[in-house]
Amino acid sequence: MAWYDNGSTCGLTEFIGAFLFAIGLLTQLAGIMIAGKTVMAIAKVHASNGLWATQNGYEYNLILIAVAIGIALSGPGQYALDAFYSNRSRV
């Protein structure tokens, strides 16, 4: 069994990524973690069921990937810890 097949690894990746994403710390890394885990979920579970979420497909997972990558690319915003630390280093 490879490390990426382990449910604990998937759960830990999702927990850490979501926590970092929620507080706005290392937002780009958190977005990559969430998107990577979701791509693995599509490949392992949802791909064989088709697109639509009503048949347990990967439609919802594609939305999660789009949101995670979109926020990672646009930045966390002014109230995130990333913005706080970047402003402190300029002072």
Side-chain angles (χ1 to χ4, degrees):
M1 177 184 267
W3 66 269
Y4 52 83
D5 285 338
N6 190 345
S8 298
T9 304
C10 180
L12 187 63
T13 302
E14 185 169 4
F15 177 76
I16 292 171
F19 179 73
L20 291 174
F21 208 70
I23 64 172
L25 185 63
L26 302 172
T27 308
Q28 290 82 11
L29 176 64
I32 291 169
M33 290 172 72
I34 293 170
K37 184 218 54 90
T38 308
V39 167
M40 187 60 69
I42 289 173
K44 296 269 182 196
V45 178
H46 300 286
S48 62
N49 298 326
L51 175 66
W52 305 115
T54 54
Q55 283 97 25
N56 197 24
Y58 55 89
E59 174 186 22
Y60 181 67
N61 297 91
L62 290 178
I63 293 170
L64 293 177
I65 291 170
V67 169
I69 291 174
I71 291 176
L73 291 176
S74 66
Q78 68 182 12
Y79 297 112
L81 289 178
D82 280 345
F84 175 74
Y85 286 124
S86 67
N87 286 339
R88 283 181 56 96
S89 64
R90 291 183 191 152
V91 174

